[in-house]
Amino acid sequence: MKIIKIQALRGPNIWSIQRKKLIQMRLDLEEMEQFPTNKIQGFRERIEAMLPSMIEHRCSEGCRGGFFSRVDRGTWMGHVIEHIALEIQTLAGMETGFGRTRETKTPGTYNVVFSYTEENVGLFAAESSVAIAEALIAGKEYDIDADLQKMREIRERVRLGPSTGSIVDEAVSRDIPWIRLGTNSLVQLGYGINQMRFQATITCKTSSIAVDIACNKEQTKKMLENASIPVASGSICVDEESLADVIKKIGYPIVLKPLGGNHGKGASINVTNWEDAVSGLAFAQTYGKRVIVEKFITGFDFRVLVIDNKLVAAAKRVPAHVVGNGVDTIQQLIDTTNLDPRRGYGHENVLTQIDVDRDTEDLLEKLNYTLETIPNNGETVFLKSTANLSTGGTSVDVTDMMHPENIFLAERISRVIGLDVCGVDIMAENLTQPLKENGGVILEVNAAPGFRMHLAPSEGLPRNVAAPVIDMLYPPGKSCRIPIIAVTGTNGKTTTTRLLAHIVKNNGFKVGFTTSDGIYVQNHMMEKGDTTGPLSAEYILRDPTVEFAVLETARGGILRSGLGFSRCDIGIITNIQEDHLGLSDIHTLSDLARVKATVVRSVKKNGWAVLNGDDEHCIKIAKELQCNVAYFSLNENSEFIKKQCAEGKTVAVYENGFITIKKGEWKIRVEKVTLVPLTLGGKAKFMIANVLAATLASYLWGFKTGDISQSLKTFIPSAAQTPGRMNIFEFKKFKVLIDFAHNACGYKGVADYLESVTASKKIGIIAGVGDRRDEDIRECAYLAACMFDHIIIRQEKFLRGRTEEEIINLILEGIKTSGKDVTYEIIPKETEAIKHAINCAEEGSFITALSDVVTNAIEIVQEYLDKENEKETF
């Protein structure tokens, strides 16, 4: 078997709107296409022996063991690999269960689709599942445990930490979108101007001064002392001399820790002699020059969590330890403890496995123990000096046991230091008594405190401590989203997007939009290029200045990665015409419609899908939608539109020369078409359709018809405003039109406009696109022959796997089928072709350049026009 391509889908996609995180693997079964599972001797027994837990896969049978039943009856290897990929992710601790396997138009080649929780793990699972299947087919041994461990390691390397992950999970449960900013724990919640950011448990509301204070243990201690809050006595030392001075003042036992340390790093606890104190000083100074030395306070280690100045959880932390049984060695007891299913690799489970390190060895040495020592029955042997969960410690929830005086103290500390998310470390015999009565003290105040000990304590009630963080960032009434209008279709996407952005901007919003020529924020180009994919959409949604997003959304990006947003308010399909067929398993207009439908299927339930009422494929799409649907049409009298009006539906139509909104029997005439510059005096019918789509979407959003009308009249088509979209350059003796038309539908639109143009000679500059079907290239050439008197064929770019000669021959075949008496010439380079046409233009000529590189064409024509104007000036 051969893997052709593996890709990760990250947003709503053709397979599922709800399940955004999918791996799509294109797999050629090669000779295995002839061998379903029931023809492979012993396959069922081998797969069940290797992966017995797959008995739980119900598959299409809908019952336990359903998948194995399919294997018995015979199923193809693509389907088997889908199930293996899901199972090995689950076995590695990432439970997931959605899958689809579909044969493509190429016999023996399948799209194997399955869900993932971590993208890099999903990509690994795709390759691993094929390797496992091949081993099962051949009856060879396979080390599946090695793959599972590798997947866990990948997950730990790329996953969000437990604290960050809990906040993201809480946000998702509240339908708040999120974007990971980079590969660390920096996360954006919400979109555009309504976004909030956090990293671990530091939020965009966290005071940087408060973080600096908390990271400076000396400063923290002074501020707490000044606020009459009990702290351990001690001071700062930088060398052995200052260490001796501190010990002389406070006496043994002591604690040493780096001044700017965290998570217990560099700390030495319960030091009782000078030799260990010097060693502890050296250890702490590996993390920082200045070391804080404090009196060691006996008692239990507590962590209290305060969020938005309110106490939300408290836990007693116990360092990693083992309890002797009088039989096993310490190492054996550690191994047994690590078998606890609650313990896992890194942060995968509630508890972390206990590892032996320098701290462990030092503690054992103080007891004159080694890893081979056998502790007495019932003897507790501590293996870490700090109680961090990340080093194998455990936690016990004591939130409900806190004395009101201690709650008041903790909440006051958060205000004294100024932290919105604050972890307070307390050493005391208990929290049921006020600290001033039991002698407890505050050890530290932590910025970015970990949540895991509260989310999943080893004993006691779990606390959803992520919820108050979201409550703080998004209090009731605060929106997390911005309006999104997404535009797709075969032709007209960019023009419709730009017109909508113009309308939105004129209504007072700071608008961000993406098009096939660039990313724009408030009409300022941020990035140049074809920016109609999910990364470009995300670029706009990440921008903190954007209040409204209008996103052109093309076929390629949807197929490659899915949508760049979780849902939109309005989705528009301008039309579905033949283009890009034969690529990426899209062979028919129905296939293409399925891709385009992804946009309107992502519209929120009370949002609107704006569809072309003159397009049968758009009408079919509407039947599967869960949102509101409205149509636009160039034909007010079509039976379909009349039926919509009879049912009281809202439509936009072109009637009696007006852009009109209709609902039932009443009409609102928004603007006369001849007063809308984009329609070129009403001569460009396809532009009227674009105007109808934008007008209907704007009206449904809630903009007033008067404001829409004003925007339609002030949107001037030009090389700057709508590059490559019916740009007309008027020379003294002739005119030049540049348009991006590159498919049969686009050519027909230009031809319709040219019928209204009077010219002594109509000249066309055309080219083919190599990755289109032969018949598509021929049809465009045929249409060109029908609308032009003379054709210049140029073909230097977009060969895409073909030769220049091959494409030109297809164009010539198309020209000949027209039967028209049209002349032609071949000038390969576009720049030379345009220059030749202008230099040879007769008076009254009309030159049309149908260009796939509009920037080059515009620059050349504008240069000629500027020279002509300069001559007139002088």
Side-chain angles (χ1 to χ4, degrees):
M1 294 181 287
K2 178 183 177 183
I3 297 174
I4 299 172
K5 182 171 67 172
I6 304 175
Q7 60 196 95
L9 306 178
R10 305 178 187 94
N13 53 75
I14 61 172
W15 303 101
S16 175
I17 295 299
Q18 287 76 34
R19 297 175 179 89
K20 304 173 180 65
K21 299 166 71 171
L22 298 176
I23 297 296
Q24 179 176 315
M25 174 169 57
R26 190 175 179 86
L27 180 68
D28 184 355
L29 296 189
E30 297 182 322
E31 70 277 4
M32 293 312 301
E33 173 67 5
Q34 308 306 319
F35 294 93
T37 51
N38 62 338
K39 291 187 178 181
I40 304 172
Q41 188 173 2
F43 185 84
R44 157 67 190 268
E45 291 75 18
R46 290 195 293 274
I47 191 171
E48 188 169 11
M50 181 183 285
L51 296 164
S53 51
M54 288 180 77
I55 189 72
E56 302 299 335
H57 288 219
R58 303 169 74 86
C59 203
S60 57
E61 304 295 295
C63 61
R64 188 172 186 267
F67 171 69
F68 285 144
S69 296
R70 291 288 305 275
V71 172
D72 285 335
R73 292 204 310 273
T75 188
W76 270 258
M77 205 50 60
H79 180 214
V80 173
I81 287 168
E82 167 205 322
H83 279 267
I84 293 175
L86 292 170
E87 184 62 18
I88 59 177
Q89 288 184 89
T90 298
L91 291 174
M94 292 156 278
E95 188 168 352
T96 188
F98 174 84
R100 294 286 185 272
T101 298
R102 299 289 183 267
E103 188 172 14
T104 68
K105 298 287 185 182
T106 305
T109 299
Y110 292 76
N111 280 319
V112 179
V113 179
F114 57 89
S115 53
Y116 65 86
T117 58
E118 291 292 341
E119 181 178 317
N120 288 357
V121 174
L123 294 170
F124 179 88
E127 295 185 352
S128 174
S129 59
V130 174
I132 290 169
E134 289 176 330
L136 289 169
I137 292 167
K140 294 179 180 178
E141 292 292 321
Y142 191 91
D143 188 356
I144 194 170
D145 290 334
D147 280 7
L148 297 180
Q149 180 59 23
K150 179 68 174 176
M151 291 164 72
R152 294 186 187 104
E153 291 171 2
I154 294 172
R155 176 194 57 193
E156 291 307 307
R157 191 167 63 244
V158 301
R159 78 187 298 193
L160 295 172
S163 301
T164 308
S166 70
I167 297 173
V168 167
D169 290 343
E170 180 65 21
V172 170
S173 74
R174 302 188 190 194
D175 197 29
I176 297 173
W178 67 283
I179 300 171
R180 189 171 185 174
L181 303 175
T183 57
N184 55 18
S185 294
L186 182 60
V187 172
Q188 173 184 315
L189 300 178
Y191 290 151
I193 198 169
N194 290 323
Q195 67 181 260
M196 291 287 171
R197 296 175 186 164
F198 71 95
Q199 184 164 12
T201 57
I202 297 281
T203 78
C204 52
K205 291 181 172 290
T206 302
S207 162
S208 61
I209 294 177
V211 173
D212 283 344
I213 293 171
C215 289
N216 186 325
K217 300 186 189 307
E218 182 180 24
Q219 181 68 44
T220 299
K221 191 172 180 180
K222 286 180 180 177
M223 292 184 70
L224 295 181
E225 279 184 312
N226 292 339
S228 302
I229 295 168
V231 295
S233 58
S235 188
I236 304 296
C237 70
V238 294
D239 52 29
E240 292 184 18
E241 183 180 351
S242 53
L243 173 62
D245 290 340
V246 176
I247 293 174
K248 186 176 180 180
K249 290 179 183 177
I250 64 175
Y252 292 110
I254 61 170
V255 175
L256 299 97
K257 51 191 174 183
L259 183 62
N262 53 43
H263 302 297
K265 293 176 182 176
S268 297
I269 310 296
N270 195 18
V271 175
T272 58
N273 59 71
W274 176 249
E275 183 179 343
D276 289 343
V278 172
S279 176
L281 174 64
F283 181 45
Q285 287 187 324
T286 61
Y287 292 89
K289 175 71 173 173
R290 305 181 75 201
V291 175
I292 190 165
V293 182
E294 293 177 336
K295 186 74 174 180
F296 175 70
I297 307 296
T298 58
F300 294 101
D301 185 343
F302 295 96
R303 163 62 63 82
V304 175
L305 182 63
V306 182
I307 297 175
D308 201 19
N309 305 127
K310 299 179 185 65
L311 184 135
V312 297
K316 181 170 77 170
R317 302 188 295 179
V318 182
H321 63 278
V322 291
V323 179
N325 58 13
V327 176
D328 295 326
T329 67
I330 291 174
Q331 182 63 63
Q332 289 171 328
L333 292 169
I334 292 173
D335 294 339
T336 302
T337 300
N338 283 338
L339 292 175
D340 185 338
R342 296 178 300 168
R343 291 190 182 271
Y345 183 85
H347 295 303
E348 69 177 343
N349 286 343
V350 174
L351 300 174
T352 301
Q353 291 182 351
I354 301 172
D355 293 326
V356 176
D357 58 11
R358 176 190 180 278
D359 190 25
T360 308
E361 292 168 350
D362 287 349
L363 288 174
L364 293 178
E365 186 179 344
K366 289 178 181 178
L367 298 171
N368 291 320
Y369 284 0
T370 69
L371 291 172
E372 300 308 312
T373 300
I374 299 175
N376 295 326
N377 187 32
E379 179 186 357
T380 298
V381 179
F382 286 102
L383 303 169
K384 304 292 178 184
S385 57
T386 59
N388 298 81
L389 265 66
S390 58
T391 58
T394 57
S395 66
V396 180
D397 179 73
V398 295
T399 307
D400 296 332
M401 302 177 187
M402 281 195 71
H403 192 280
E405 185 75 19
N406 291 334
I407 294 174
F408 167 77
L409 183 69
E411 292 177 347
R412 184 162 174 261
I413 288 170
S414 73
R415 291 184 181 275
V416 168
I417 303 302
L419 287 171
D420 60 338
V421 181
C422 178
V424 182
D425 289 346
I426 299 174
M427 183 64 73
E429 287 299 322
N430 58 65
L431 294 182
T432 57
Q433 295 176 284
L435 296 191
K436 61 186 178 184
E437 292 183 11
N438 64 19
V441 297
I442 307 303
L443 297 178
E444 288 183 4
V445 179
N446 298 277
F451 283 1
R452 184 160 63 134
M453 70 185 76
H454 308 295
L455 294 166
S458 43
E459 295 180 39
L461 289 175
R463 305 287 172 170
N464 182 6
V465 295
V469 175
I470 299 297
D471 291 339
M472 175 179 67
L473 297 177
Y474 287 103
K478 179 174 175 56
S479 176
C480 62
R481 297 177 181 266
I482 60 173
I484 298 175
I485 299 180
V487 184
T488 194
T490 303
N491 296 316
K493 300 185 295 295
T494 299
T495 301
T496 304
T497 297
R498 283 181 168 276
L499 177 55
L500 272 166
H502 180 72
I503 295 169
V504 171
K505 182 175 182 292
N506 285 353
N507 277 272
F509 288 92
K510 291 176 180 164
V511 61
F513 60 99
T514 61
T515 70
S516 57
D517 53 77
I519 299 174
Y520 297 81
V521 175
Q522 283 294 86
N523 284 347
H524 294 276
M525 180 184 277
M526 302 290 104
E527 294 286 339
K528 187 176 182 179
D530 187 348
T531 57
T532 55
L535 293 179
S536 302
E538 190 176 284
Y539 182 105
I540 290 295
L541 300 176
R542 287 199 315 261
D543 192 303
T545 68
V546 172
E547 298 173 339
F548 203 121
V550 184
L551 306 173
E552 181 179 346
T553 309
R555 167 205 61 89
I558 297 172
L559 290 171
R560 186 170 57 252
S561 303
L563 299 178
F565 48 87
S566 55
R567 70 164 183 253
C568 58
D569 298 87
I570 297 176
I572 300 173
I573 301 181
T574 57
N575 47 63
I576 296 173
Q577 301 294 329
E578 291 189 353
D579 196 16
H580 300 284
L581 299 185
L583 302 173
S584 303
D585 296 323
I586 307 302
H587 297 279
T588 67
L589 283 176
S590 294
D591 293 337
L592 186 59
R594 178 169 164 250
V595 178
K596 303 291 187 183
T598 304
V599 170
V600 288
R601 285 168 57 219
S602 73
V603 174
K604 65 182 185 181
K605 197 166 185 178
N606 62 342
W608 288 89
V610 174
L611 305 176
N612 189 332
D614 301 329
D615 190 307
E616 61 176 308
H617 294 283
C618 287
I619 294 170
K620 287 179 183 176
I621 286 171
K623 296 175 183 177
E624 65 180 59
L625 301 181
Q626 304 297 314
C627 62
N628 300 306
V629 178
Y631 295 93
F632 63 91
S633 173
L634 290 169
N635 183 8
E636 177 192 17
N637 296 313
S638 78
E639 290 302 317
F640 179 75
I641 292 299
K642 286 197 287 188
K643 183 184 179 199
Q644 294 294 306
C645 293
E647 294 174 358
K649 304 286 182 62
T650 301
V651 298
V653 294
Y654 174 46
E655 57 88 30
N656 294 319
F658 282 89
I659 300 295
T660 300
I661 300 290
K662 288 188 68 176
K663 187 170 184 180
E665 293 302 315
W666 58 258
K667 298 180 179 179
I668 301 177
R669 285 182 168 173
V670 180
E671 191 51 74
K672 195 173 180 62
V673 164
T674 53
L675 298 180
V676 179
L678 191 58
T679 69
L680 303 181
K683 296 175 183 177
K685 291 291 188 342
F686 61 94
M687 284 298 189
I688 296 175
N690 295 334
V691 171
L692 285 169
T695 299
L696 181 55
S698 303
Y699 175 78
L700 293 171
W701 171 253
F703 294 136
K704 296 177 181 177
T705 54
D707 293 333
I708 297 172
S709 169
Q710 185 63 26
S711 295
L712 296 181
K713 289 188 291 186
T714 56
F715 187 75
I716 312 298
S718 65
Q721 184 83 288
T722 55
R725 275 73 184 176
M726 300 299 285
N727 304 145
I728 297 177
F729 300 81
E730 297 196 16
F731 288 77
K732 189 175 182 181
K733 295 182 179 180
F734 59 90
K735 295 179 181 178
V736 178
L737 166 67
I738 297 177
D739 193 79
F740 189 61
H742 56 281
N743 54 46
C745 182
Y747 272 52
K748 289 174 183 176
V750 172
D752 183 61
Y753 170 74
L754 288 178
E755 285 183 7
S756 66
V757 173
T758 302
S760 60
K761 189 174 186 179
K762 295 178 182 177
I763 302 169
I765 304 172
I766 69 169
V769 181
D771 61 1
R772 302 306 197 267
R773 301 174 302 175
D774 291 359
E775 56 265 41
D776 297 330
I777 297 173
R778 290 193 196 99
E779 184 178 6
C780 286
Y782 166 82
L783 292 169
C786 293
M787 67 174 124
F788 299 125
D789 302 311
H790 179 71
I791 295 175
I792 300 173
I793 302 169
R794 54 96 189 163
Q795 195 65 52
E796 62 174 322
K797 297 181 179 179
F798 298 98
L799 302 180
R800 296 175 183 174
R802 296 183 190 257
T803 65
E804 181 181 321
E805 182 181 9
E806 184 183 357
I807 297 174
I808 290 174
N809 285 336
L810 289 170
I811 292 173
L812 293 176
E813 289 173 18
I815 291 173
K816 289 173 184 175
T817 59
S818 70
K820 300 287 184 179
D821 185 19
V822 58
T823 58
Y824 66 85
E825 57 187 312
I826 300 171
I827 303 177
K829 289 190 176 182
E830 180 183 44
T831 54
E832 298 303 320
I834 294 173
K835 289 177 181 179
H836 173 73
I838 292 175
N839 290 332
C840 298
E842 302 170 5
E843 186 168 354
S845 296
F846 196 98
I847 302 168
T848 302
L850 301 180
S851 175
D852 41 23
V853 190
V854 294
T855 306
N856 293 349
I858 289 170
E859 288 175 354
I860 294 166
V861 176
Q862 188 64 53
E863 184 181 340
Y864 270 86
L865 187 59
D866 291 343
K867 286 180 181 178
E868 182 177 277
N869 292 334
E870 286 175 10
K871 288 179 182 178
E872 288 186 357
T873 303
F874 291 102

